[in-house]
Amino acid sequence: MTIPVKRILIVDDDRSVLEVLSRALSTAYDVAAARDGTEALAMVAGRPIDLLITDYLMPSMTGDELIVRLRDLCPGTKALMITGHGDLLDREAPDWWKNVDHLAKPFRIRALRETVASLLA
């Protein structure tokens, strides 16, 4: 019996971030990448995912908006926020920020892999 590979969607408007994260996770997971929330939602509409990894600040919609819209399509989808603006979120939305799984940029690939494994366990 084969265990299905978990599917991860990474969303970031920075192409280099998408490439690095995709490479780091593609050996253990089925990884797809999108450059913005609109593209991400279109990708999920046809095939649900197990985990969304999204940047916070992006054109067209923020990461928190994307999480809400994605969970409307696929309730219960796990999410990991990545951002270089954690200090801003600590100040402006501390209650929300402390309750969302997140990694502050820059982070080590090992930390990413450990966080993803924990979320998908």
Side-chain angles (χ1 to χ4, degrees):
M1 182 167 159
T2 311
I3 298 171
V5 176
K6 299 287 186 175
R7 186 160 187 255
I8 298 173
L9 176 59
I10 303 169
V11 185
D12 199 302
D13 57 324
D14 184 329
R15 186 180 310 272
S16 62
V17 171
L18 283 178
E19 290 173 6
V20 168
L21 299 185
S22 294
R23 257 185 284 137
L25 297 173
S26 64
T27 58
Y29 305 100
D30 177 11
V31 177
R35 299 278 314 265
D36 61 37
T38 303
E39 183 181 357
L41 291 171
M43 292 173 80
V44 171
R47 191 168 165 217
I49 59 170
D50 297 294
L51 175 65
L52 170 69
I53 299 174
T54 183
D55 189 17
Y56 179 73
L57 284 180
M58 298 180 291
S60 81
M61 97 179 54
T62 59
D64 59 327
E65 292 171 312
L66 174 57
I67 291 170
V68 168
R69 292 184 61 186
L70 183 127
R71 286 181 174 158
D72 284 343
L73 293 172
C74 306
T77 300
K78 296 178 182 182
L80 174 63
M81 184 75 65
I82 56 174
T83 186
H85 303 282
D87 56 338
L88 173 73
L89 292 167
D90 273 338
R91 286 191 311 274
E92 294 189 7
D95 292 335
W96 173 79
W97 183 238
K98 70 181 175 187
N99 289 310
V100 67
D101 291 303
H102 62 274
L103 287 173
K105 292 179 185 176
F107 51 82
R108 297 193 180 278
I109 294 300
R110 181 177 181 193
L112 172 70
R113 288 179 176 147
E114 289 171 355
T115 302
V116 167
S118 174
L119 287 168
L120 292 175

